[in-house]
Amino acid sequence: MSAGGGKKAIIAALTANAGIAVSKFVGAAITGSASMLAEGVHSVADTANQGLLLFGQKRAEQEADELHQFGYGRNRYFYSFVVALVLFTLGSVYAIYEGVHKIQHPEELNAPIVAIVILAIAIGLETFSFVTAMRESKPLKGDASWWRFIRNSRSPELPVVLLEDTGALIGLVFAFAAVGLTMVTGNPVFDGIGTLAIGLLLGVIAIVLIVEMQSLLIGEGATPDQTAAIRASLVDSERITRVIHLRTQYLGPEELLVAAKVAIAPGLGIAQVAEAIDAAEARVRAAVPATGLIYLEPDLYREVAPA
């Protein structure tokens, strides 16, 4: 993912969520709807999260120094992990608490039609943000499913925005249904049920994000397709005959570290070995553009005799 593409989706989401948050709080104040209030808190959390993603991108642009010799690219993973924690604590926990409270102590809604209008507008704005994120993600997704893209992407921002927007849209539908049922039946307990459903939904999304971002923070290697391309690029069948072992790790969303021990054809001189290594590095970078640092160790391949 290019930083520009991810930034466009983040800014679209931030703008939409900031406007939606204000309208939801106004609606909650007028109607007294708990589900509307929970959605307002949800939008505040999402707005803060977009700010954290932008801040993480900015921090990741710092040049490598003596303390962090591989650079600061993982800042983007760290702040995406913080986003998941914010979504869980500020969004999910609050909504679950408010939902349980409103189920136990239901309160009548005032002017519920106001909530319906605001929620309809919010659905339109969230749809704009969601469509923007999908459009920015498609070049990276390729033929994979959206779930596989979220699970396999080494760039954290677009999966985060996609999941947040998906949760926001479903949450708005929950809130819309809760207020609608309260209007039709006259029973305000539906408002509390909708609030509880929003909280549980946010909790599931937050846990998915926490698991994915934790994995990226620890350090993930190249995808299977990238690994196969790297292996094929290292070998030229003349000077480099095979890959003895290969290790990869993403230092940031767009920087892949490659370390490998490669078998050199017997009889080559030092200059020829150096040329073979340089050519192999060039082939790897051409095959997998995300490749940054490459460390290749030349060796002679020795067959292990069977026991």
Side-chain angles (χ1 to χ4, degrees):
M1 177 193 74
S2 67
K7 194 167 291 184
K8 183 177 179 180
I10 295 169
I11 292 173
L14 188 150
T15 304
N17 284 319
I20 291 169
V22 173
S23 65
K24 286 175 180 175
F25 281 125
V26 171
I30 294 172
T31 64
S33 168
S35 59
M36 179 71 84
L37 182 61
E39 273 297 300
V41 173
H42 178 190
S43 292
V44 168
D46 282 352
T47 303
N49 287 343
Q50 316 315 324
L52 284 170
L53 292 177
L54 289 173
F55 185 68
Q57 284 193 345
K58 187 66 177 177
R59 291 293 302 272
E61 293 171 0
Q62 291 178 261
E63 295 292 332
D65 53 32
E66 190 63 29
L67 183 61
H68 298 92
Q69 298 181 11
F70 289 110
Y72 289 81
R74 284 190 181 174
N75 268 306
R76 287 167 65 180
Y77 297 148
F78 172 75
Y79 284 99
S80 296
F81 183 77
V82 174
V83 162
L85 295 179
V86 170
L87 190 64
F88 184 79
T89 55
L90 188 58
S92 176
V93 174
Y94 172 79
I96 290 173
Y97 166 79
E98 188 68 14
V100 171
H101 176 72
K102 291 298 182 181
I103 291 172
Q104 294 174 336
H105 307 285
E107 298 177 7
E108 296 293 332
L109 300 185
N110 300 314
I113 191 64
V114 174
I116 293 293
V117 172
I118 290 175
L119 287 170
I121 294 172
I123 288 173
L125 291 173
E126 284 290 2
T127 300
F128 162 73
S129 174
F130 182 69
V131 169
T132 301
M134 287 185 67
R135 187 185 305 119
E136 296 297 320
S137 302
K138 277 185 178 178
L140 287 176
K141 184 180 81 73
D143 296 329
S145 66
W146 285 106
W147 177 244
R148 185 174 180 182
F149 167 68
I150 290 170
R151 292 298 311 273
N152 293 341
S153 176
R154 300 312 191 254
S155 298
E157 292 88 356
L158 285 175
V160 168
V161 173
L162 279 170
L163 280 174
E164 280 190 346
D165 286 349
T166 300
L169 282 170
I170 297 174
L172 285 167
V173 172
F174 285 167
F176 196 93
V179 174
L181 286 170
T182 299
M183 288 177 61
V184 171
T185 65
N187 187 354
V189 76
F190 285 110
D191 189 44
I193 293 172
T195 307
L196 180 61
I198 291 168
L200 294 174
L201 170 69
L202 293 180
V204 170
I205 291 175
I207 289 170
V208 171
L209 284 176
I210 287 170
V211 170
E212 292 303 313
M213 294 308 122
Q214 180 259 358
S215 180
L216 289 169
L217 266 177
I218 291 175
E220 290 189 358
T223 65
D225 289 344
Q226 289 174 327
T227 299
I230 291 169
R231 285 185 174 276
S233 300
L234 286 172
V235 176
D236 62 9
S237 300
E238 295 179 3
R239 296 175 296 183
I240 298 180
T241 59
R242 68 172 64 211
V243 177
I244 299 174
H245 67 68
L246 172 67
R247 299 289 184 272
T248 62
Q249 188 173 92
Y250 269 92
L251 303 176
E254 283 117 25
E255 186 175 7
L256 178 65
L257 168 67
V258 175
K261 178 179 284 191
V262 294
I264 300 294
L268 295 182
I270 293 177
Q272 292 173 305
V273 171
E275 289 175 2
I277 295 296
D278 291 342
E281 291 180 356
R283 291 193 300 272
V284 169
R285 289 195 170 94
V288 183
T291 304
L293 296 172
I294 302 178
Y295 297 108
L296 299 182
E297 178 185 352
D299 201 351
L300 294 176
Y301 181 73
R302 299 172 180 84
E303 293 281 358
V304 178

